[in-house]
Amino acid sequence: MSALIQPSQSIQAVAPQTVHIFLGDRSYPIAIGTQLLDNPATWADLPRAATALIVTNTTVGPLYAQRLKTALQSHYATIHTVVLPDGEAFKTWETLNLIFDALLGHGCDRKTVLFALGGGVVGDMTGFAAASYMRGVPFVQVPTTLLAQVDSSVGGKTAINHPLGKNMVGAFYQPCKVVCDLDTLTTLPPRELSAGLAEVIKYGPIADMALLDWLDAHMDALRAGDVAALAHAVQRSCEIKAHVVGQDEREAGLRAILNFGHTFGHAIEAGMGYGAWLHGEGVGSGMVMAAHLSQRLGLIDMALVQRLTQLIQRAGLPTVGAVLDATDNAGRYLQLMRVDKKAEAGEIKFVLIGPPGSATVRGAPDALVRAVVDACCS
């Protein structure tokens, strides 16, 4: 992960909004706005405990860990912090154990509340640790990247990577609350902001064509860090994801559509080595490939493929896939995609557009997938 930009002057305040995920006794709010991190009231409705543990990384920690700790001091008598190495390459058992070492070393009990302060890697690992420690302790997502705010912090997916596949070891475990402070996005490097935009764009063709229209009109403002535009993007993304997760928490069916572009994208991440491409970069080019596959299967026309490709390019994301094997690139993609969580009995399941504004999950002939990979990676 590239180094974060030091905070500049305060951005314009945005009135806080709340999106709710309804999951019975596991329901929780997603708070979206500015000036949330430092406000003790943000944290007032969390479970009572004597101890809290902030999990962050070497990049985000110096910027925000002390501020969060100060805001939490009126709620917890003791607050510990564990700082993880930064980057997708460290989303491993070894790094996960650093969280367990801190919990056990400080004698934390089953009421201890964990706070995931960082991007998707920190959120996924903190959630997995919370799901596992003493068979489950409460945790809070405090995402500081756009990608985490619009996607990975919401919905309770927690995991670490395996060399053969991304996010293949984990658990479904919901947070108590998600706090999306838009101020933290002012320190996000342009490459990381673009990576987050991939997870915003994906919601358009599979769920909300009006959002795709809005993104066409506001992409320049989003890349410039306009807080009002970012607030709308985060809120609408969370609304769509909350609606889907509320119907299918454990991805038995509908929730799989949120992986649009991810089957190809995860293959790129694993094949290139975790961290070489950011997750959103893999998803960006993965959406292009998934759109081409949708078109070749007769689900959409080429005009939508071209429109989506241009929008992804305007977001600062790659639209040409990575070459994973110089001798048989498509074969390497197929090999890696067969490890995807949606695969069934070795058959790869793709999230495809069709009709526009909706999605379907289905297989495709290897020969057709090969043709798409060859066309989109040259």
Side-chain angles (χ1 to χ4, degrees):
M1 180 177 176
S2 48
L4 292 181
I5 301 168
Q6 288 298 319
S8 57
Q9 62 185 14
S10 298
I11 62 176
Q12 181 181 356
V14 169
Q17 302 293 325
T18 302
V19 175
H20 292 276
I21 288 194
F22 295 106
L23 293 168
D25 60 1
R26 297 181 311 287
S27 300
Y28 56 93
I30 307 165
I32 303 164
T34 56
Q35 302 172 11
L36 297 178
L37 191 70
D38 300 302
N39 187 352
T42 300
W43 319 104
D45 56 350
L46 297 175
R48 292 184 177 275
T51 306
L53 177 71
I54 298 171
V55 182
T56 187
N57 64 32
T58 52
T59 303
V60 176
L63 292 173
Y64 300 116
Q66 185 55 52
R67 289 172 56 183
L68 177 57
K69 184 175 182 178
T70 299
L72 293 176
Q73 283 175 342
S74 60
H75 302 295
Y76 304 97
T78 304
I79 303 169
H80 303 292
T81 302
V82 59
V83 180
L84 309 179
D86 184 16
E88 190 78 29
F90 298 102
K91 196 176 176 182
T92 62
W93 280 116
E94 291 76 15
T95 306
L96 182 67
N97 266 323
L98 295 177
I99 305 176
F100 294 132
D101 290 345
L103 288 165
L104 290 164
H106 292 301
C108 294
D109 59 30
R110 57 169 36 101
K111 290 187 176 181
T112 299
V113 182
L114 275 61
F115 290 81
L117 177 67
V121 173
V122 168
D124 277 14
M125 288 198 295
T126 305
F128 193 15
S132 306
Y133 186 68
M134 294 190 175
R135 299 187 178 91
V137 297
F139 87 107
V140 180
Q141 290 275 18
V142 192
T144 60
T145 67
L146 181 61
L147 188 148
Q149 290 187 3
V150 301
D151 184 65
S152 64
S153 69
V154 177
K157 280 188 176 181
T158 73
I160 57 173
N161 296 333
H162 186 279
L164 295 179
K166 183 178 170 69
N167 293 332
M168 293 302 291
V169 183
F172 286 99
Y173 193 69
Q174 301 296 341
C176 301
K177 186 174 187 176
V178 180
V179 177
C180 301
D181 190 330
L182 301 172
D183 291 339
T184 62
L185 302 183
T186 65
T187 58
L188 206 58
R191 184 183 176 194
E192 294 281 350
L193 184 67
S194 289
L197 288 172
E199 294 284 9
V200 180
I201 292 170
K202 78 172 183 188
Y203 292 112
I206 63 166
D208 185 359
M209 289 299 288
L211 174 61
L212 200 66
D213 295 338
W214 184 88
L215 288 168
D216 270 331
H218 294 86
M219 183 54 68
D220 293 343
L222 288 166
R223 293 196 67 188
D226 179 84
V227 66
L230 288 168
H232 179 78
V234 172
Q235 181 175 344
R236 185 63 189 134
S237 298
C238 288
E239 287 171 346
I240 294 170
K241 186 159 190 181
H243 174 73
V244 172
V245 172
Q247 297 180 76
D248 179 19
E249 180 182 5
R250 293 178 174 265
E251 204 168 297
L254 177 64
R255 186 170 177 175
I257 70 169
L258 299 178
N259 290 311
F260 176 58
H262 288 57
T263 303
F264 290 104
H266 285 176
I268 292 172
E269 288 185 83
M272 293 295 290
Y274 296 117
W277 281 48
L278 296 179
H279 174 65
E281 293 170 340
V283 170
S285 63
M287 286 190 289
V288 173
M289 287 189 263
H292 276 276
L293 185 57
S294 302
Q295 187 273 329
R296 290 182 184 232
L297 287 167
L299 300 173
I300 59 173
D301 60 24
M302 184 54 71
L304 180 55
V305 177
Q306 293 171 342
R307 179 188 179 189
L308 183 60
T309 302
Q310 290 169 0
L311 184 62
I312 292 167
Q313 187 172 46
R314 287 180 58 205
L317 293 162
T319 56
V320 177
V323 175
L324 306 181
D325 187 316
T327 57
D328 185 10
N329 191 44
R332 180 59 174 151
Y333 271 85
L334 285 165
Q335 179 186 39
L336 288 165
M337 290 189 294
R338 292 195 203 283
V339 189
D340 185 83
K341 293 186 291 298
K342 295 185 299 302
E344 297 177 4
E347 182 186 14
I348 306 165
K349 298 291 186 179
F350 296 94
V351 181
L352 304 173
I353 309 167
S358 65
T360 183
V361 182
R362 56 172 287 184
D366 280 4
L368 189 57
V369 177
R370 280 182 170 274
V372 167
V373 172
D374 289 340
C376 293
C377 297
S378 60

